[in-house]
Amino acid sequence: MTALPTPPQPLVSLTHWGAFEAEVAGDRLVGARPWPGSGADPRMIGALPDLVHSPTRIDRPHVREGYLRRRDGADRTGRGRDRMVPVDWDGALDLVAEALARTYGEAGPEAVFGGSYGWSSAGRFHHARTQVRRFLSATGGFVDQIGNYSWGAAQGLLPYVLGDFDTVSSAATDWSTLIGTTDLLVAFGGLNPKNWRVTSGGAGRHAMGDWVRRAAAAGTAITIVSPLRDDCPAGIPATWIAPRPNTDTAILLALTREVIQRGRADWAFLDRYTVGTDALVAYLDGRTDGVPKTLAWAAAIADVPVAGLDRLADRLCRARRVMLTAAWSLQRADHGEQPFWATIALAAVLGQIGLPGGGFCFGYGSMNGIGQAARRGYVPAMDGLPNPIAGAAIPVARVIDMLERPGTDIPFHGRRVRLPDCRLIYWAGGNPFHHLQDLNRAARAWTKPETVIVHEPWWTPTARRADIVLPATTAAERNDIGGNSRDPFVFPMPRLIPPVGQARDDWAIFADIADRLGCADHFTAGRDEAGWLRHLWAKTHAKARADGVAAPDFEAFWAGGPWPVPLPERPQILLDSFRADPDAVRLTTPSGRIEIASDRIAGFGYADCPGHPAWLEPKEWLGAPDRPEGALHLITHQPPTRLHSQLAQTPAGRTDHPTGLEPLRLNPADAAARRIADGAVVTVENARGRCLAGAVVTDAVRPGVAVMATGAWWTPDPDDPACDRGGNPNVLTRDAGTSSLTQACAAQSALVLVRPVERPETHKGWADEADAVAAPTL
């Protein structure tokens, strides 16, 4: 293996929740603290030794006993129940190669599904999703996934409206332009500071809270539109409007109509920069459906005082500069495309898109770094390979449909997508039994494929439901390069400790299997780990040279620690170049303008996604006439000390509720009506399943709403498999697409019943179960 330069001391590396200094003793990571000045969360960073050396680590390859005996003829319902048998690496890799060769030979590449999700490592070379795609492309092809769970509906919608989805993936108006400029910031979905602890790829700077405080101190009035009062940083004076979940679109449409009615619409902007205003105005006035979208209409849908909406409309009309922001969570719901489209429409009517501190920006409250000044393109991405069956992909949130209904079609962007007959799942980097919806249904569907192969460092619920489990290293056990486009640093990530147990890097695992299948050179491109890191850094160096930026060579970069990328010369303002010259800088929409109404979408004829922003009732919401008596709307959000299900196996990531259960927050009125005391054990249930939780009674949650964090490891009760002791709310969420247009995740549209448990002493929580779930039966 090519040698790498010696990294500086103290050793610095990166996680999705921040940069850290490592303390190593022998072969163990014994301490981790936030990189000085980074602002990373000390509790999450400090949990790294517990994570790396967790008793849930997989120490060697394992094969499910039934599969070991009968291969693809094994009883697939044994996944999650059969004994896991330790095997040596050669035996495990031979089994994987055999399964792939058999599946390719009998059913073709359309029968191989490449599953992954991009949060397994902050490193860009050991990026599991890229690695599994590259590997399966080298071996013969596979069925891929389109989109993501974070902002899938927006990703599908925005190219029709703005020409691309940069405004949710990478581009954002810099916070610096809001300071002293923005009179009013309206945050639909809030600005919850816990979300700023994480970002994909990690960060050397966590300054979002500082920016909000600076804006407020400079005179920006802030309005939070959210069912949760604490969706705003503590100490920030803000107006709270608390609507029913999933009703933001109605509020946005009514505010748009009111701004027009009060004579505040910027018709010159609309005429020059947009198309489709007439269609939207006809809808807002009720000329198309007989329902004027008044403030009173929206107030009734959202169950908020009309006076509060009237005051907000008045502020919108009086403010010189208005910034609208919508959290990503809003589009993870039935018709999730609509609130983002309606946000753009209101911003267009106000006429401030492309101005400093004005217009719209998605995700200020969703993740660290959005709106932070940074040069783009300096964090290198791992090279992919073309998939031999180009175009073979399903929407990312339709995995269960694929397993349940092979050969059927689903609508998607004006066409029909045929769901493949999946015979083999290859999953590396991710825990689908965290992020899939309706987990009990997912577990039933998981029995359909002949073979399930998983790379995983820990015995997660997904690893437990595999046929072949290959132990993967963590980022602490390998060399990499990390960072993200919203942060002004690129990090060398030196190996801190040797691999734990018999763990191997995903890349090394894939290279060995590729060798067995005769395509090693195609997969590795003749490079080892160090060769790939030098290759990736050459991309960064070339980018810097093209931009006239002085960047260190690889040897100096690796030996020098985090590289501070020079900041851009001017702050980013969304669509400012388009505003300056819309003829020269046309958007890539059919009209070249912002499409407030889209003829293309209208032409698809989807009832669940018409050709302009519209209020469409969710399947499950508090206004549904057929909702169960006493039903509450379940909101599932990012936990404060976990990243999805990462860190759930550490003391820092586990619940601190006195019951040992995941907390469920609800309003005092709802608690009293159900005779639920603060701290009580409750069941949360609907027709899809149920889980245990510990009640937290608080007036920070509006009536009619129950709130649970995601990320607890799914732990079905052996005596009652439909009940999850771990407290993963995705046993309750619906597995359905947002609309026929994008088929994205709609987890935020779910109703539940909450009841006190009569004999709580018989129920054990996740904290009590921790030792029992450290490893499966061996």
Side-chain angles (χ1 to χ4, degrees), residues 14-16 118 120-128 201-202 379-380 382 475 478-483 491 493:
L14 190 63
T15 71
H16 292 299
S120 63
S121 171
R124 299 299 91 187
F125 170 57
H126 293 291
H127 182 259
V379 179
M382 176 60 184
R478 57 202 184 204
N479 296 296
D480 216 328
I481 297 172
F491 287 80
M493 297 173 61

mmCIF file with all atom_site columns, all heavy atoms in Angstrom, residues 14-16 118 120-128 201-202 379-380 382 475 478-483 491 493:
data_model
loop_
_atom_site.group_PDB
_atom_site.id
_atom_site.type_symbol
_atom_site.label_atom_id
_atom_site.label_alt_id
_atom_site.label_comp_id
_atom_site.label_asym_id
_atom_site.label_entity_id
_atom_site.label_seq_id
_atom_site.pdbx_PDB_ins_code
_atom_site.Cartn_x
_atom_site.Cartn_y
_atom_site.Cartn_z
_atom_site.occupancy
_atom_site.B_iso_or_equiv
_atom_site.pdbx_formal_charge
_atom_site.auth_seq_id
_atom_site.auth_comp_id
_atom_site.auth_asym_id
_atom_site.auth_atom_id
_atom_site.pdbx_PDB_model_num
ATOM 1   N N   . LEU A 1 14  ? -13.284 13.981 11.385 1.00 0.00 ? 14  LEU A N   1
ATOM 2   C CA  . LEU A 1 14  ? -14.571 14.594 11.058 1.00 0.00 ? 14  LEU A CA  1
ATOM 3   C C   . LEU A 1 14  ? -15.684 13.573 11.152 1.00 0.00 ? 14  LEU A C   1
ATOM 4   O O   . LEU A 1 14  ? -15.523 12.402 10.786 1.00 0.00 ? 14  LEU A O   1
ATOM 5   C CB  . LEU A 1 14  ? -14.503 15.147 9.624  1.00 0.00 ? 14  LEU A CB  1
ATOM 6   C CG  . LEU A 1 14  ? -15.626 16.043 9.123  1.00 0.00 ? 14  LEU A CG  1
ATOM 7   C CD1 . LEU A 1 14  ? -15.713 17.331 9.931  1.00 0.00 ? 14  LEU A CD1 1
ATOM 8   C CD2 . LEU A 1 14  ? -15.401 16.370 7.646  1.00 0.00 ? 14  LEU A CD2 1
ATOM 9   N N   . THR A 1 15  ? -16.826 14.014 11.671 1.00 0.00 ? 15  THR A N   1
ATOM 10  C CA  . THR A 1 15  ? -18.070 13.269 11.622 1.00 0.00 ? 15  THR A CA  1
ATOM 11  C C   . THR A 1 15  ? -19.131 14.172 11.013 1.00 0.00 ? 15  THR A C   1
ATOM 12  O O   . THR A 1 15  ? -18.922 15.376 10.848 1.00 0.00 ? 15  THR A O   1
ATOM 13  C CB  . THR A 1 15  ? -18.544 12.847 13.020 1.00 0.00 ? 15  THR A CB  1
ATOM 14  O OG1 . THR A 1 15  ? -18.984 14.018 13.732 1.00 0.00 ? 15  THR A OG1 1
ATOM 15  C CG2 . THR A 1 15  ? -17.439 12.184 13.817 1.00 0.00 ? 15  THR A CG2 1
ATOM 16  N N   . HIS A 1 16  ? -20.288 13.588 10.732 1.00 0.00 ? 16  HIS A N   1
ATOM 17  C CA  . HIS A 1 16  ? -21.397 14.405 10.240 1.00 0.00 ? 16  HIS A CA  1
ATOM 18  C C   . HIS A 1 16  ? -21.853 15.416 11.288 1.00 0.00 ? 16  HIS A C   1
ATOM 19  O O   . HIS A 1 16  ? -22.542 16.383 10.953 1.00 0.00 ? 16  HIS A O   1
ATOM 20  C CB  . HIS A 1 16  ? -22.579 13.528 9.848  1.00 0.00 ? 16  HIS A CB  1
ATOM 21  C CG  . HIS A 1 16  ? -22.337 12.667 8.650  1.00 0.00 ? 16  HIS A CG  1
ATOM 22  N ND1 . HIS A 1 16  ? -22.044 13.181 7.411  1.00 0.00 ? 16  HIS A ND1 1
ATOM 23  C CD2 . HIS A 1 16  ? -22.345 11.318 8.492  1.00 0.00 ? 16  HIS A CD2 1
ATOM 24  C CE1 . HIS A 1 16  ? -21.895 12.186 6.549  1.00 0.00 ? 16  HIS A CE1 1
ATOM 25  N NE2 . HIS A 1 16  ? -22.066 11.049 7.181  1.00 0.00 ? 16  HIS A NE2 1
ATOM 26  N N   . GLY A 1 118 ? -26.568 7.964  2.202  1.00 0.00 ? 118 GLY A N   1
ATOM 27  C CA  . GLY A 1 118 ? -25.292 8.668  2.216  1.00 0.00 ? 118 GLY A CA  1
ATOM 28  C C   . GLY A 1 118 ? -24.762 9.157  3.539  1.00 0.00 ? 118 GLY A C   1
ATOM 29  O O   . GLY A 1 118 ? -23.836 9.948  3.554  1.00 0.00 ? 118 GLY A O   1
ATOM 30  N N   . SER A 1 120 ? -23.370 7.300  6.100  1.00 0.00 ? 120 SER A N   1
ATOM 31  C CA  . SER A 1 120 ? -22.558 6.373  6.886  1.00 0.00 ? 120 SER A CA  1
ATOM 32  C C   . SER A 1 120 ? -21.216 6.967  7.282  1.00 0.00 ? 120 SER A C   1
ATOM 33  O O   . SER A 1 120 ? -20.660 6.611  8.316  1.00 0.00 ? 120 SER A O   1
ATOM 34  C CB  . SER A 1 120 ? -22.348 5.073  6.115  1.00 0.00 ? 120 SER A CB  1
ATOM 35  O OG  . SER A 1 120 ? -21.624 5.307  4.925  1.00 0.00 ? 120 SER A OG  1
ATOM 36  N N   . SER A 1 121 ? -20.655 7.853  6.487  1.00 0.00 ? 121 SER A N   1
ATOM 37  C CA  . SER A 1 121 ? -19.352 8.431  6.800  1.00 0.00 ? 121 SER A CA  1
ATOM 38  C C   . SER A 1 121 ? -19.248 9.824  6.217  1.00 0.00 ? 121 SER A C   1
ATOM 39  O O   . SER A 1 121 ? -19.782 10.098 5.141  1.00 0.00 ? 121 SER A O   1
ATOM 40  C CB  . SER A 1 121 ? -18.224 7.566  6.232  1.00 0.00 ? 121 SER A CB  1
ATOM 41  O OG  . SER A 1 121 ? -16.973 8.226  6.346  1.00 0.00 ? 121 SER A OG  1
ATOM 42  N N   . ALA A 1 122 ? -18.527 10.699 6.940  1.00 0.00 ? 122 ALA A N   1
ATOM 43  C CA  . ALA A 1 122 ? -18.272 12.040 6.412  1.00 0.00 ? 122 ALA A CA  1
ATOM 44  C C   . ALA A 1 122 ? -17.203 12.024 5.331  1.00 0.00 ? 122 ALA A C   1
ATOM 45  O O   . ALA A 1 122 ? -17.037 13.010 4.610  1.00 0.00 ? 122 ALA A O   1
ATOM 46  C CB  . ALA A 1 122 ? -17.850 12.981 7.546  1.00 0.00 ? 122 ALA A CB  1
ATOM 47  N N   . GLY A 1 123 ? -16.469 10.927 5.209  1.00 0.00 ? 123 GLY A N   1
ATOM 48  C CA  . GLY A 1 123 ? -15.435 10.833 4.195  1.00 0.00 ? 123 GLY A CA  1
ATOM 49  C C   . GLY A 1 123 ? -16.013 10.664 2.809  1.00 0.00 ? 123 GLY A C   1
ATOM 50  O O   . GLY A 1 123 ? -17.060 10.038 2.614  1.00 0.00 ? 123 GLY A O   1
ATOM 51  N N   . ARG A 1 124 ? -15.294 11.178 1.819  1.00 0.00 ? 124 ARG A N   1
ATOM 52  C CA  . ARG A 1 124 ? -15.789 11.144 0.441  1.00 0.00 ? 124 ARG A CA  1
ATOM 53  C C   . ARG A 1 124 ? -15.290 9.927  -0.336 1.00 0.00 ? 124 ARG A C   1
ATOM 54  O O   . ARG A 1 124 ? -15.937 9.518  -1.304 1.00 0.00 ? 124 ARG A O   1
ATOM 55  C CB  . ARG A 1 124 ? -15.380 12.430 -0.290 1.00 0.00 ? 124 ARG A CB  1
ATOM 56  C CG  . ARG A 1 124 ? -15.940 13.708 0.318  1.00 0.00 ? 124 ARG A CG  1
ATOM 57  C CD  . ARG A 1 124 ? -17.454 13.738 0.307  1.00 0.00 ? 124 ARG A CD  1
ATOM 58  N NE  . ARG A 1 124 ? -18.048 13.171 1.529  1.00 0.00 ? 124 ARG A NE  1
ATOM 59  C CZ  . ARG A 1 124 ? -19.344 12.968 1.685  1.00 0.00 ? 124 ARG A CZ  1
ATOM 60  N NH1 . ARG A 1 124 ? -20.191 13.259 0.719  1.00 0.00 ? 124 ARG A NH1 1
ATOM 61  N NH2 . ARG A 1 124 ? -19.794 12.441 2.811  1.00 0.00 ? 124 ARG A NH2 1
ATOM 62  N N   . PHE A 1 125 ? -14.136 9.342  0.031  1.00 0.00 ? 125 PHE A N   1
ATOM 63  C CA  . PHE A 1 125 ? -13.707 8.114  -0.638 1.00 0.00 ? 125 PHE A CA  1
ATOM 64  C C   . PHE A 1 125 ? -14.468 6.916  -0.079 1.00 0.00 ? 125 PHE A C   1
ATOM 65  O O   . PHE A 1 125 ? -15.073 6.150  -0.829 1.00 0.00 ? 125 PHE A O   1
ATOM 66  C CB  . PHE A 1 125 ? -12.194 7.909  -0.476 1.00 0.00 ? 125 PHE A CB  1
ATOM 67  C CG  . PHE A 1 125 ? -11.736 6.551  -0.945 1.00 0.00 ? 125 PHE A CG  1
ATOM 68  C CD1 . PHE A 1 125 ? -11.977 6.132  -2.243 1.00 0.00 ? 125 PHE A CD1 1
ATOM 69  C CD2 . PHE A 1 125 ? -11.057 5.691  -0.089 1.00 0.00 ? 125 PHE A CD2 1
ATOM 70  C CE1 . PHE A 1 125 ? -11.571 4.882  -2.682 1.00 0.00 ? 125 PHE A CE1 1
ATOM 71  C CE2 . PHE A 1 125 ? -10.646 4.439  -0.513 1.00 0.00 ? 125 PHE A CE2 1
ATOM 72  C CZ  . PHE A 1 125 ? -10.896 4.034  -1.809 1.00 0.00 ? 125 PHE A CZ  1
ATOM 73  N N   . HIS A 1 126 ? -14.463 6.755  1.218  1.00 0.00 ? 126 HIS A N   1
ATOM 74  C CA  . HIS A 1 126 ? -15.202 5.664  1.850  1.00 0.00 ? 126 HIS A CA  1
ATOM 75  C C   . HIS A 1 126 ? -16.668 6.073  2.033  1.00 0.00 ? 126 HIS A C   1
ATOM 76  O O   . HIS A 1 126 ? -17.231 5.970  3.134  1.00 0.00 ? 126 HIS A O   1
ATOM 77  C CB  . HIS A 1 126 ? -14.562 5.296  3.186  1.00 0.00 ? 126 HIS A CB  1
ATOM 78  C CG  . HIS A 1 126 ? -13.206 4.707  3.058  1.00 0.00 ? 126 HIS A CG  1
ATOM 79  N ND1 . HIS A 1 126 ? -12.991 3.456  2.522  1.00 0.00 ? 126 HIS A ND1 1
ATOM 80  C CD2 . HIS A 1 126 ? -11.976 5.205  3.359  1.00 0.00 ? 126 HIS A CD2 1
ATOM 81  C CE1 . HIS A 1 126 ? -11.688 3.194  2.523  1.00 0.00 ? 126 HIS A CE1 1
ATOM 82  N NE2 . HIS A 1 126 ? -11.048 4.237  3.020  1.00 0.00 ? 126 HIS A NE2 1
ATOM 83  N N   . HIS A 1 127 ? -17.249 6.528  0.961  1.00 0.00 ? 127 HIS A N   1
ATOM 84  C CA  . HIS A 1 127 ? -18.650 6.935  0.946  1.00 0.00 ? 127 HIS A CA  1
ATOM 85  C C   . HIS A 1 127 ? -19.430 5.722  0.458  1.00 0.00 ? 127 HIS A C   1
ATOM 86  O O   . HIS A 1 127 ? -19.382 5.370  -0.730 1.00 0.00 ? 127 HIS A O   1
ATOM 87  C CB  . HIS A 1 127 ? -18.833 8.131  0.017  1.00 0.00 ? 127 HIS A CB  1
ATOM 88  C CG  . HIS A 1 127 ? -20.222 8.675  -0.036 1.00 0.00 ? 127 HIS A CG  1
ATOM 89  N ND1 . HIS A 1 127 ? -21.093 8.396  -1.066 1.00 0.00 ? 127 HIS A ND1 1
ATOM 90  C CD2 . HIS A 1 127 ? -20.898 9.473  0.820  1.00 0.00 ? 127 HIS A CD2 1
ATOM 91  C CE1 . HIS A 1 127 ? -22.242 9.008  -0.856 1.00 0.00 ? 127 HIS A CE1 1
ATOM 92  N NE2 . HIS A 1 127 ? -22.152 9.657  0.286  1.00 0.00 ? 127 HIS A NE2 1
ATOM 93  N N   . ALA A 1 128 ? -20.125 5.057  1.378  1.00 0.00 ? 128 ALA A N   1
ATOM 94  C CA  . ALA A 1 128 ? -20.664 3.738  1.081  1.00 0.00 ? 128 ALA A CA  1
ATOM 95  C C   . ALA A 1 128 ? -21.618 3.751  -0.106 1.00 0.00 ? 128 ALA A C   1
ATOM 96  O O   . ALA A 1 128 ? -21.625 2.816  -0.918 1.00 0.00 ? 128 ALA A O   1
ATOM 97  C CB  . ALA A 1 128 ? -21.356 3.170  2.317  1.00 0.00 ? 128 ALA A CB  1
ATOM 98  N N   . GLY A 1 201 ? -21.526 15.305 5.493  1.00 0.00 ? 201 GLY A N   1
ATOM 99  C CA  . GLY A 1 201 ? -20.125 15.548 5.216  1.00 0.00 ? 201 GLY A CA  1
ATOM 100 C C   . GLY A 1 201 ? -19.384 16.207 6.359  1.00 0.00 ? 201 GLY A C   1
ATOM 101 O O   . GLY A 1 201 ? -18.158 16.322 6.318  1.00 0.00 ? 201 GLY A O   1
ATOM 102 N N   . GLY A 1 202 ? -20.101 16.649 7.396  1.00 0.00 ? 202 GLY A N   1
ATOM 103 C CA  . GLY A 1 202 ? -19.451 17.261 8.541  1.00 0.00 ? 202 GLY A CA  1
ATOM 104 C C   . GLY A 1 202 ? -19.081 18.711 8.304  1.00 0.00 ? 202 GLY A C   1
ATOM 105 O O   . GLY A 1 202 ? -19.198 19.232 7.192  1.00 0.00 ? 202 GLY A O   1
ATOM 106 N N   . VAL A 1 379 ? -14.619 20.055 -2.044 1.00 0.00 ? 379 VAL A N   1
ATOM 107 C CA  . VAL A 1 379 ? -14.614 18.732 -1.419 1.00 0.00 ? 379 VAL A CA  1
ATOM 108 C C   . VAL A 1 379 ? -14.770 17.716 -2.543 1.00 0.00 ? 379 VAL A C   1
ATOM 109 O O   . VAL A 1 379 ? -15.805 17.675 -3.215 1.00 0.00 ? 379 VAL A O   1
ATOM 110 C CB  . VAL A 1 379 ? -15.756 18.588 -0.399 1.00 0.00 ? 379 VAL A CB  1
ATOM 111 C CG1 . VAL A 1 379 ? -15.736 17.187 0.219  1.00 0.00 ? 379 VAL A CG1 1
ATOM 112 C CG2 . VAL A 1 379 ? -15.632 19.651 0.687  1.00 0.00 ? 379 VAL A CG2 1
ATOM 113 N N   . PRO A 1 380 ? -13.759 16.889 -2.781 1.00 0.00 ? 380 PRO A N   1
ATOM 114 C CA  . PRO A 1 380 ? -13.826 15.997 -3.952 1.00 0.00 ? 380 PRO A CA  1
ATOM 115 C C   . PRO A 1 380 ? -14.835 14.878 -3.748 1.00 0.00 ? 380 PRO A C   1
ATOM 116 O O   . PRO A 1 380 ? -15.081 14.424 -2.633 1.00 0.00 ? 380 PRO A O   1
ATOM 117 C CB  . PRO A 1 380 ? -12.405 15.447 -4.043 1.00 0.00 ? 380 PRO A CB  1
ATOM 118 C CG  . PRO A 1 380 ? -11.902 15.469 -2.621 1.00 0.00 ? 380 PRO A CG  1
ATOM 119 C CD  . PRO A 1 380 ? -12.507 16.705 -2.007 1.00 0.00 ? 380 PRO A CD  1
ATOM 120 N N   . MET A 1 382 ? -16.025 10.951 -4.843 1.00 0.00 ? 382 MET A N   1
ATOM 121 C CA  . MET A 1 382 ? -15.529 9.685  -5.371 1.00 0.00 ? 382 MET A CA  1
ATOM 122 C C   . MET A 1 382 ? -16.082 9.433  -6.769 1.00 0.00 ? 382 MET A C   1
ATOM 123 O O   . MET A 1 382 ? -17.250 9.708  -7.048 1.00 0.00 ? 382 MET A O   1
ATOM 124 C CB  . MET A 1 382 ? -15.947 8.557  -4.416 1.00 0.00 ? 382 MET A CB  1
ATOM 125 C CG  . MET A 1 382 ? -15.579 7.166  -4.867 1.00 0.00 ? 382 MET A CG  1
ATOM 126 S SD  . MET A 1 382 ? -13.808 6.962  -5.089 1.00 0.00 ? 382 MET A SD  1
ATOM 127 C CE  . MET A 1 382 ? -13.741 5.294  -5.733 1.00 0.00 ? 382 MET A CE  1
ATOM 128 N N   . ALA A 1 475 ? -15.270 5.353  10.347 1.00 0.00 ? 475 ALA A N   1
ATOM 129 C CA  . ALA A 1 475 ? -14.349 6.366  9.823  1.00 0.00 ? 475 ALA A CA  1
ATOM 130 C C   . ALA A 1 475 ? -13.089 6.478  10.657 1.00 0.00 ? 475 ALA A C   1
ATOM 131 O O   . ALA A 1 475 ? -12.045 6.905  10.161 1.00 0.00 ? 475 ALA A O   1
ATOM 132 C CB  . ALA A 1 475 ? -15.064 7.714  9.749  1.00 0.00 ? 475 ALA A CB  1
ATOM 133 N N   . ARG A 1 478 ? -9.963  4.176  9.169  1.00 0.00 ? 478 ARG A N   1
ATOM 134 C CA  . ARG A 1 478 ? -9.533  4.245  7.778  1.00 0.00 ? 478 ARG A CA  1
ATOM 135 C C   . ARG A 1 478 ? -9.121  5.680  7.445  1.00 0.00 ? 478 ARG A C   1
ATOM 136 O O   . ARG A 1 478 ? -9.409  6.614  8.199  1.00 0.00 ? 478 ARG A O   1
ATOM 137 C CB  . ARG A 1 478 ? -10.635 3.769  6.848  1.00 0.00 ? 478 ARG A CB  1
ATOM 138 C CG  . ARG A 1 478 ? -11.931 4.519  6.997  1.00 0.00 ? 478 ARG A CG  1
ATOM 139 C CD  . ARG A 1 478 ? -13.109 3.716  6.480  1.00 0.00 ? 478 ARG A CD  1
ATOM 140 N NE  . ARG A 1 478 ? -14.353 4.478  6.542  1.00 0.00 ? 478 ARG A NE  1
ATOM 141 C CZ  . ARG A 1 478 ? -15.563 3.937  6.608  1.00 0.00 ? 478 ARG A CZ  1
ATOM 142 N NH1 . ARG A 1 478 ? -15.701 2.619  6.622  1.00 0.00 ? 478 ARG A NH1 1
ATOM 143 N NH2 . ARG A 1 478 ? -16.648 4.682  6.641  1.00 0.00 ? 478 ARG A NH2 1
ATOM 144 N N   . ASN A 1 479 ? -8.493  5.851  6.322  1.00 0.00 ? 479 ASN A N   1
ATOM 145 C CA  . ASN A 1 479 ? -8.056  7.167  5.850  1.00 0.00 ? 479 ASN A CA  1
ATOM 146 C C   . ASN A 1 479 ? -9.052  7.709  4.834  1.00 0.00 ? 479 ASN A C   1
ATOM 147 O O   . ASN A 1 479 ? -9.582  6.960  4.011  1.00 0.00 ? 479 ASN A O   1
ATOM 148 C CB  . ASN A 1 479 ? -6.679  7.052  5.189  1.00 0.00 ? 479 ASN A CB  1
ATOM 149 C CG  . ASN A 1 479 ? -5.600  6.618  6.154  1.00 0.00 ? 479 ASN A CG  1
ATOM 150 O OD1 . ASN A 1 479 ? -5.285  7.319  7.105  1.00 0.00 ? 479 ASN A OD1 1
ATOM 151 N ND2 . ASN A 1 479 ? -5.018  5.442  5.905  1.00 0.00 ? 479 ASN A ND2 1
ATOM 152 N N   . ASP A 1 480 ? -9.273  9.028  4.883  1.00 0.00 ? 480 ASP A N   1
ATOM 153 C CA  . ASP A 1 480 ? -10.254 9.599  3.969  1.00 0.00 ? 480 ASP A CA  1
ATOM 154 C C   . ASP A 1 480 ? -10.061 11.110 3.875  1.00 0.00 ? 480 ASP A C   1
ATOM 155 O O   . ASP A 1 480 ? -9.191  11.692 4.541  1.00 0.00 ? 480 ASP A O   1
ATOM 156 C CB  . ASP A 1 480 ? -11.678 9.286  4.450  1.00 0.00 ? 480 ASP A CB  1
ATOM 157 C CG  . ASP A 1 480 ? -12.645 9.038  3.300  1.00 0.00 ? 480 ASP A CG  1
ATOM 158 O OD1 . ASP A 1 480 ? -12.464 9.660  2.234  1.00 0.00 ? 480 ASP A OD1 1
ATOM 159 O OD2 . ASP A 1 480 ? -13.567 8.230  3.467  1.00 0.00 ? 480 ASP A OD2 1
ATOM 160 N N   . ILE A 1 481 ? -10.895 11.736 3.049  1.00 0.00 ? 481 ILE A N   1
ATOM 161 C CA  . ILE A 1 481 ? -10.973 13.189 2.907  1.00 0.00 ? 481 ILE A CA  1
ATOM 162 C C   . ILE A 1 481 ? -12.426 13.568 3.123  1.00 0.00 ? 481 ILE A C   1
ATOM 163 O O   . ILE A 1 481 ? -13.332 12.951 2.550  1.00 0.00 ? 481 ILE A O   1
ATOM 164 C CB  . ILE A 1 481 ? -10.504 13.660 1.518  1.00 0.00 ? 481 ILE A CB  1
ATOM 165 C CG1 . ILE A 1 481 ? -9.027  13.313 1.302  1.00 0.00 ? 481 ILE A CG1 1
ATOM 166 C CG2 . ILE A 1 481 ? -10.725 15.161 1.346  1.00 0.00 ? 481 ILE A CG2 1
ATOM 167 C CD1 . ILE A 1 481 ? -8.543  13.564 -0.124 1.00 0.00 ? 481 ILE A CD1 1
ATOM 168 N N   . GLY A 1 482 ? -12.677 14.577 3.952  1.00 0.00 ? 482 GLY A N   1
ATOM 169 C CA  . GLY A 1 482 ? -14.054 14.916 4.275  1.00 0.00 ? 482 GLY A CA  1
ATOM 170 C C   . GLY A 1 482 ? -14.343 16.404 4.212  1.00 0.00 ? 482 GLY A C   1
ATOM 171 O O   . GLY A 1 482 ? -13.442 17.237 4.139  1.00 0.00 ? 482 GLY A O   1
ATOM 172 N N   . GLY A 1 483 ? -15.633 16.703 4.248  1.00 0.00 ? 483 GLY A N   1
ATOM 173 C CA  . GLY A 1 483 ? -16.100 18.084 4.216  1.00 0.00 ? 483 GLY A CA  1
ATOM 174 C C   . GLY A 1 483 ? -17.391 18.174 3.440  1.00 0.00 ? 483 GLY A C   1
ATOM 175 O O   . GLY A 1 483 ? -17.922 17.173 2.950  1.00 0.00 ? 483 GLY A O   1
ATOM 176 N N   . PHE A 1 491 ? -11.085 18.482 5.164  1.00 0.00 ? 491 PHE A N   1
ATOM 177 C CA  . PHE A 1 491 ? -10.386 17.772 6.225  1.00 0.00 ? 491 PHE A CA  1
ATOM 178 C C   . PHE A 1 491 ? -9.681  16.525 5.724  1.00 0.00 ? 491 PHE A C   1
ATOM 179 O O   . PHE A 1 491 ? -10.314 15.654 5.111  1.00 0.00 ? 491 PHE A O   1
ATOM 180 C CB  . PHE A 1 491 ? -11.383 17.328 7.304  1.00 0.00 ? 491 PHE A CB  1
ATOM 181 C CG  . PHE A 1 491 ? -11.892 18.434 8.173  1.00 0.00 ? 491 PHE A CG  1
ATOM 182 C CD1 . PHE A 1 491 ? -12.906 19.272 7.731  1.00 0.00 ? 491 PHE A CD1 1
ATOM 183 C CD2 . PHE A 1 491 ? -11.364 18.650 9.442  1.00 0.00 ? 491 PHE A CD2 1
ATOM 184 C CE1 . PHE A 1 491 ? -13.380 20.297 8.527  1.00 0.00 ? 491 PHE A CE1 1
ATOM 185 C CE2 . PHE A 1 491 ? -11.833 19.672 10.247 1.00 0.00 ? 491 PHE A CE2 1
ATOM 186 C CZ  . PHE A 1 491 ? -12.842 20.495 9.793  1.00 0.00 ? 491 PHE A CZ  1
ATOM 187 N N   . MET A 1 493 ? -8.670  13.020 6.881  1.00 0.00 ? 493 MET A N   1
ATOM 188 C CA  . MET A 1 493 ? -9.239  12.180 7.938  1.00 0.00 ? 493 MET A CA  1
ATOM 189 C C   . MET A 1 493 ? -8.325  10.964 8.126  1.00 0.00 ? 493 MET A C   1
ATOM 190 O O   . MET A 1 493 ? -8.566  9.886  7.578  1.00 0.00 ? 493 MET A O   1
ATOM 191 C CB  . MET A 1 493 ? -10.660 11.748 7.573  1.00 0.00 ? 493 MET A CB  1
ATOM 192 C CG  . MET A 1 493 ? -11.637 12.894 7.438  1.00 0.00 ? 493 MET A CG  1
ATOM 193 S SD  . MET A 1 493 ? -13.267 12.366 6.814  1.00 0.00 ? 493 MET A SD  1
ATOM 194 C CE  . MET A 1 493 ? -13.786 11.215 8.088  1.00 0.00 ? 493 MET A CE  1
#
